Amino acid sequence: MLTTSSALKRLNSLRRLLGVLGDRGDRKNGLSVMASNEDDNNTTNEDDQPFTPWAVSVASGHTLLRSPQHNKGLAFTEKERDAHYLRGLLPPAVFTQELQEKRTLHLLRQYEVPLHKYIAMMDLQETNEKLFYKLLIYNVEELLPIVYTPTVGEACQKYGSIYRRPQGLYISLKDKGKILEVLKNWPEKNIQVIVVTDGERILGLGDLGCQGMGIPVGKLSLYTALGGVRPSACLPVTIDVGTKNETLLNDEFYIGLKQKRATGEEYKEFLEEFMTAVKKNYGEKVLIQFEDFANHNAFDLLTKYRTSHLVFNDDIQGTACVVLGGLLSALKLIGGTLSDHTFLFLGAGEAGTGIAELISLEIFKKTKLTVEESRQKIWLVDSKGLVVSSRKDSLQQHKKPWAHDHEPVSGLLEAVKAIKPTILIGTSGVGKQFTKEVIETMASINAKPLIMALSNPTSQSECTAEEAYTWSQGRAIFASGSPFDPVIYEGKEFVTGQSNNAYIFPGFGLGLIMSGAIRVHDEFLLAAAEALASQVTEEDYAEGIIYPSFKNIRKISATIAAKVASRAYEYGLASHLPRPSNLVKFAENCMYSPTYRNYR
């Protein structure tokens, strides 16, 4: 028989474990399930007695079927159907999760329109969470373009029409002065990652206002599927401060505030209230990822909050990481070191300057050059032509470090001829800018020109894979932001590498979480890029690909997470002590499993 002291010890041990696993809000919703914990290894207490780490009681079988976190659909066994009042609420057939996955994939493939597949996937996420993630994890190459770019762009454009149920938290100007109360309305309490947008610059599609919610939802789906962060720890947020999109303002079905976008002090005060409320509600270690903010706000927000919050801007830093990773791996195909090459960017916004800065930091780290000298190898072209020193007085602050001494040059083709770059990178957000003349000129200068057309979605890509390979006579090394099918040129197949941020941010975020990092250091970004480059195989290089296969994305994410966590420990920015001896294995063990639990 247990003594009162032993019983209290057991109860406290259980409470601590519940705190680690997270309060999923199940008790609040009246839902209760008894489950075994086969996919967690936390099965012993202080007396080495196995126990179920979470246990609540079911109000009714119908409630269980309505809970996406716990619903297994036709995978409930005969015993589970009897034990949890499901008899008659389901057809008599019993499917394994693998058969459910096969059936759902078969149904998805019947849709010819990508947006219809997107809607079906979102419906699945809202009805059977584990099946959704199992489907995405094990079919990532096929389904990533559906839940993420390019289809998510169209989904955001039509979000008002396809909106079914809330998938995240909407915080509008109506909530000014009570944002903390709004955050507390979210049912999950132990949040580790927030992806937030204000919808002003969604991909290359412009201001979509409140309809930008598709981006945080999609990004956090990948945090779980690719990085293993548990779904209940993820919070998508849209900050609605209005929109300057006249089409939306005149659309009777628009789901956001119908007013002009707030700017200036009103905007800054609202964002300050949000950032303060997030830190107060979720603590110092919650990761806040800024997504698709316009240039003029993105840089200011990152600069302002990087010293007081754990913040990361995927458009500036995530894009820079994945591109730098591709450049480092591409060196094996084009030769030399980074410092041996000359870079020309089309686009001088947050993506372009973010990539340029990280390249210069990597060159600085690996050579005796100063950061300023490293920057001299990188040139930018914006809407007014080559960014040069004579334009400094009229340039935005983030462009000034890249204004080098050179006579004015009006367009991209003229800049290519003048600068003679070995690497051409497009971040303009405007399609068809890498013309035949531009590609042919790059090919005339370089035996193997590296062309990176990074703008999303596909319609905004600077050129297609077919154009890059054809116009360079099959000599280009090509990577794009959106996926392209393989290209046959003169009997040879060329496979395109996709410079997709999904390579970086899920593993990067996992590394921050598992180390308990309190700030993001630039060294973390370099570590992530180097870890990505290290995952490219000889088989990939043989096909001319500079990025690894997405089939191995969880292994890639674990490697990136381990490298990021390692730097956090080295720089004294980690709070989870002691440091695990094997960070890669620790990362893999931290990852969420989509396998169904067995209910008692």
Side-chain angles (χ1 to χ4, degrees), residues 86-343:
L86 297 174
R87 215 30 102 171
L89 300 181
L90 292 167
V94 176
F95 286 6
T96 64
Q97 191 176 18
E98 288 68 30
L99 185 57
Q100 285 182 312
E101 178 190 350
K102 180 180 179 180
R103 173 180 176 271
T104 307
L105 195 60
H106 172 74
L107 292 173
L108 280 172
R109 287 169 176 167
Q110 306 307 304
Y111 294 110
E112 295 182 0
V113 179
L115 184 62
H116 295 167
K117 294 183 180 182
Y118 174 90
I119 294 170
M121 285 293 287
M122 293 303 103
D123 284 343
L124 180 62
Q125 188 178 21
E126 290 299 313
T127 55
N128 190 329
E129 185 175 88
K130 285 187 179 290
L131 182 57
F132 169 84
Y133 284 112
K134 186 173 179 62
L135 195 68
L136 183 53
I137 291 168
Y138 292 103
N139 303 277
V140 63
E141 291 184 304
E142 179 176 350
L143 296 180
L144 186 63
I146 301 301
V147 301
Y148 192 47
T149 182
T151 308
V152 71
E154 183 183 1
C156 287
Q157 288 178 305
K158 300 175 180 177
Y159 209 79
S161 300
I162 66 175
Y163 175 82
R164 281 166 164 73
R165 59 184 69 84
Q167 292 179 292
L169 202 59
Y170 296 87
I171 301 176
S172 76
L173 284 173
K174 292 181 178 180
D175 306 313
K176 187 174 183 180
K178 48 187 178 183
I179 292 179
L180 181 59
E181 296 174 33
V182 175
L183 288 175
K184 290 180 177 179
N185 287 340
W186 188 250
E188 309 292 354
K189 304 307 175 188
N190 294 310
I191 299 299
Q192 294 175 316
V193 184
I194 293 173
V195 175
V196 58
T197 185
D198 70 351
E200 188 170 4
R201 193 200 61 83
I202 298 298
L203 301 175
L205 303 172
D207 189 346
L208 298 184
C210 192
Q211 296 186 170
M213 178 59 91
I215 296 296
V217 169
K219 292 277 185 177
L220 287 169
S221 296
L222 301 188
Y223 258 108
T224 297
L226 312 187
V229 179
R230 57 190 171 87
S232 61
C234 300
L235 174 57
V237 175
T238 290
I239 301 288
D240 187 357
V241 294
T243 179
K244 54 190 176 186
N245 187 322
E246 290 294 334
T247 302
L248 293 180
L249 291 174
N250 295 321
D251 183 355
E252 64 176 324
F253 299 126
Y254 178 54
I255 59 175
L257 288 179
K258 287 194 175 183
Q259 64 180 64
K260 292 291 186 181
R261 178 173 287 275
T263 58
E265 287 304 312
E266 182 182 16
Y267 180 87
K268 291 178 182 178
E269 289 174 5
F270 194 66
L271 265 293
E272 173 67 20
E273 184 186 349
F274 169 74
M275 296 298 290
T276 302
V278 164
K279 193 170 179 178
K280 184 172 182 179
N281 201 46
Y282 300 120
E284 187 83 18
K285 292 179 284 189
V286 62
L287 172 61
I288 304 169
Q289 179 170 310
F290 297 120
E291 199 67 46
D292 288 349
F293 285 76
N295 289 347
H296 55 277
N297 290 321
F299 288 102
D300 290 345
L301 290 171
L302 186 59
T303 301
K304 180 176 181 179
Y305 292 109
R306 67 186 307 170
T307 57
S308 60
H309 292 68
L310 184 66
V311 294
F312 173 71
N313 186 302
D314 191 43
D315 303 299
I316 299 173
Q317 297 166 299
T319 300
C321 275
V322 75
V323 174
L324 178 57
L327 292 172
L328 292 173
S329 69
L331 294 176
K332 291 192 177 182
L333 296 175
I334 62 177
T337 65
L338 276 187
S339 59
D340 295 327
H341 290 276
T342 302
F343 304 83

Side-chain angles (χ1 to χ4, degrees), residues 382-403:
D382 64 9
S383 60
K384 294 181 174 60
L386 193 66
V387 175
V388 293
S389 54
S390 60
R391 294 177 51 196
K392 259 191 175 178
D393 291 343
S394 62
L395 289 175
Q396 294 171 285
Q397 194 64 36
H398 63 274
K399 296 183 185 180
K400 290 184 178 181
W402 314 102

